[in-house]
Structure formats: C-alpha cells, structure tokens
Amino acid sequence: MDEEILNNINNLLSEKKNIVLIPHSSPDADALGSCLALYHFLKDKNDVSVVSPNQYTEILNFLPGSEEIIVYENDKVKSEILFRDADLIFTLDFNSLGRARNLSNLITGSSAKIIMIDHHENPDDYANIMISNSNMSSTCEMVYDFIYEFDNKKINNKIATCLYTGIVADTGSFRFPSTTSKTLKIGSELINHGVNVTEIFEKLHNNFQFKRLKLLGSTISNFKKIDELPVLYSSISEDDQIINDFKKGDSEGFVNFGLSVEGIFCSVLFIEKKDEGIIKISFRSKGDFKVNIFASRYFNGGGHEHASGGVSKLSLIETEKKFIADIKQYLNENYE
Ligand code: AMP
C-alpha cells in the first residue's frame, strides 16, 4: 500500500473512532466477507457497525459476526444515527455510490472521512482515501493486505473465515483469471488460521432448498442461443420465482452454465424484479470479450471484464429483444 495512504489511515485510526462499514446493495460473499473481516479487525479499539443497504442472502448467515449486521431497510432510524455520528466510513466492494442504493445520500451527507476498498474498474471520485485495484481477485484479498499492513498478528479464525469465503466466492474457488499465486498464498495463510475449507464450500454451495434446484433446471432449459453468435441467454421471470419460492441469492452462479457450452464466450441471465420495476442482468464472458464495456454502454451497468451486471427498465421480452439487437451490433462493430 502507498506510504501516504498508510500514514493517513494510521493517523485516522490513532484514536478511538465511530466507524461504519458498508457493502454494496444485495451484498455477496466478497462484500460481506470484507466488511465482517474489517469489523473483527477494528472493533477492539473502535465502535464499529456494518450497515447493509438491503437484505442479503441467508446463505451468508454462517459468516462470523453476521448477526451484528444492520440492514438499513429494516432499521432506518438506527442506521441514520450511526451515519450521523460516524467519523469514518469504509465502502467495501463497490466504487460508485449508486451501488449503495438507498445509503448513497447518507454517505454523501455525512461529515465522516470515507475510505474505499474495492477491486472494480473506473472508480468514482467520492472517497477521501481510495484503495482501488482492479487486478485484485476480490475485495477480501485487498482487506487481507490492509490488515496485514497494519497488524497481521490480529488475523484470527473469524477474520480468516470471512476473508477466505469472499476470496473463494469471487474467484470461483481459485479458478477465474483474476486468481494469482498471491491469491493462493493468501488462501494458504488463511487455512493456517484454521479456516474450514470443506465447511465453507458446503455452506456456500450445498445449502439450498429443493425448489432452488428446480429453478436451476428451468433456467438451464430456458437458455437460448443467438443465431450465428457465440452467445447464450436465459431468464427467470417473476412467475418462475413464485413457483420456486425464490429467495435472494438463489440464482447465484446460474449464468455461468451458459459458458460451459463449447464455443460459447458470452452468457447472460435476465431476472425480472417486478417490485423494483427492473430487469436485473448478469453478464459473463471468456477470452477477449470484455462484458463490462458492453454492460455499461447498453445496460447502465458495469463490473469486471468477464463478470458484469446491468439493469433494464423495459419488460422482460423487450429487454431480451434489445439485448439481441445490441449484442449483434456490438460484436459486429468490435469483434469482426
Ligand atoms: P452479478 O451478475 O450480479 O453477480 O454481478 C457481477 C459483477 O457485476 C459484480 O462484481 C458487480 O460488482 C457488477 N455489477 C452488478 N450489477 C451492476 C450494476 N448495476 N452496475 C455496475 N456494476 C454491476
């Protein structure tokens, strides 16, 4: 870490502070893992809270400290007091305020210093201290480095479990291109702190309801191929969700199945969210196709080169039609 950043943070943490840690909305394992690891690291000398913009998947309730997470949607008054009194805010695993959704006004309205730790591209300029590196596998890997720089002796089993969970989730169990020898070394270090690798795998991947398996089946059978393009897409309608008792996190990983087909280099999943009036879109790709550029140009989104998201305010059918037209045009223009 840059010496100036290190000194600035050391100064900020030299006295007891009120600290609020924030993941992006609908936080995943990397977002919550990084928040909770920092929570355990900072809480013996500071008053620390984790405030999530909205509810997160119950699959992540095994993370040590998750019982302390405050969900803004469920506890607005308490959250607003925490923001009012905060000296320091860490925003973790996102780099544009829009991804904090309903917390973005509280962040901008706060007099606290803001520290961003994040591994996405093109960070917005809202933080006083920006620790941003899109070459990192995960925000958890960055939080490991952060803790290591300040006091590596404080890494304990709880911190290690939170960090390991975020790293395995964001690297697809150490197999995505963002995995480096350093990522693996950190994984190994965390195992030395007693992380239970098998238990984390079971909690993340083998902990679902039977109906979620049915939903996976229907999503896979819904996959369609765009004629003459190496692109597959599928969708989960509101009806599919009702029939299968859909819960937050149930569709995690479904989009990747499109990439399991020989010759396919882009897979897309549309999820209808009638209550929000949007279609949430997940993009995944392989090789040269940088799906974050496509997502930001056509679907108000972004993310990583091979894993991005976006939104559409059209209906599910209209969104699919727009996507087919856009991707044909985009691939013609850029990859012929
Ligand atoms: P998802 O498909 O929801 O798993 O998201 C994949 C990646 O895209 C994540 O790393 C997110 O950070 C990013 N992402 C998802 N939705 C959006 C969005 N609306 N705007 C920008 N980035 C997004």
Side-chain angles (χ1 to χ4, degrees), residues 9-23:
I9 296 176
N10 257 325
N11 286 338
L12 286 170
L13 292 175
S14 61
E15 288 170 14
K16 183 177 175 184
K17 290 281 185 321
N18 291 330
I19 300 177
V20 178
L21 310 173
I22 312 169

Side-chain angles (χ1 to χ4, degrees), residues 105-170:
N105 287 339
L106 291 180
I107 299 172
T108 45
S110 164
S111 56
K113 290 256 182 286
I114 301 172
I115 302 178
M116 172 204 295
I117 306 183
D118 180 66
H119 72 131
H120 295 90
E121 286 179 18
N122 304 321
D124 282 355
D125 187 19
Y126 65 81
N128 301 90
I129 297 178
M130 200 154 91
I131 305 173
S132 165
N133 185 347
S134 61
N135 293 322
M136 288 285 184
S137 70
S138 52
T139 301
C140 279
E141 180 171 340
M142 299 177 76
V143 168
Y144 176 90
D145 291 342
F146 180 95
I147 294 177
Y148 196 87
E149 293 261 13
F150 287 99
D151 192 354
N152 69 341
K153 290 190 200 69
K154 277 174 78 175
I155 300 180
N156 56 23
N157 181 264
K158 285 181 181 173
I159 292 177
T161 300
C162 293
L163 293 179
Y164 187 88
T165 302
I167 293 172
V168 283
D170 254 35

Side-chain angles (χ1 to χ4, degrees), residues 56-116:
Y56 55 91
T57 167
E58 59 193 36
I59 294 290
L60 295 174
N61 278 339
F62 75 92
L63 289 173
S66 61
E67 65 286 354
E68 302 292 337
I69 297 170
I70 296 157
V71 175
Y72 174 64
E73 270 178 359
N74 304 342
D75 221 335
K76 290 194 174 159
V77 175
K78 188 170 180 185
S79 309
E80 281 160 17
I81 292 170
L82 289 169
F83 275 87
R84 188 195 64 198
D85 296 343
D87 304 305
L88 258 183
I89 293 174
F90 283 78
T91 66
L92 291 153
D93 199 35
F94 65 96
N95 63 12
S96 83
L97 284 179
R99 298 221 62 222
R101 293 270 188 97
N102 44 16
L103 289 185
S104 56
N105 287 339
L106 291 180
I107 299 172
T108 45
S110 164
S111 56
K113 290 256 182 286
I114 301 172
I115 302 178
M116 172 204 295

Side-chain angles (χ1 to χ4, degrees), residues 24 28 93 96 99 119-120 170 252 255 280-284 299-304 307-311:
H24 55 74
D28 57 10
D93 199 35
S96 83
R99 298 221 62 222
H119 72 131
H120 295 90
D170 254 35
E252 192 75 39
V255 63
K280 184 193 169 331
I281 314 172
S282 285
F283 300 97
R284 298 292 184 270
F299 289 100
N300 205 19
H304 308 285
S308 296
V311 286

Side-chain angles (χ1 to χ4, degrees), residues 268-282:
V268 180
L269 180 64
F270 302 97
I271 304 179
E272 192 172 31
K273 303 260 177 205
K274 277 208 170 135
D275 53 339
E276 297 174 54
I278 59 162
I279 308 297
K280 184 193 169 331
I281 314 172
S282 285

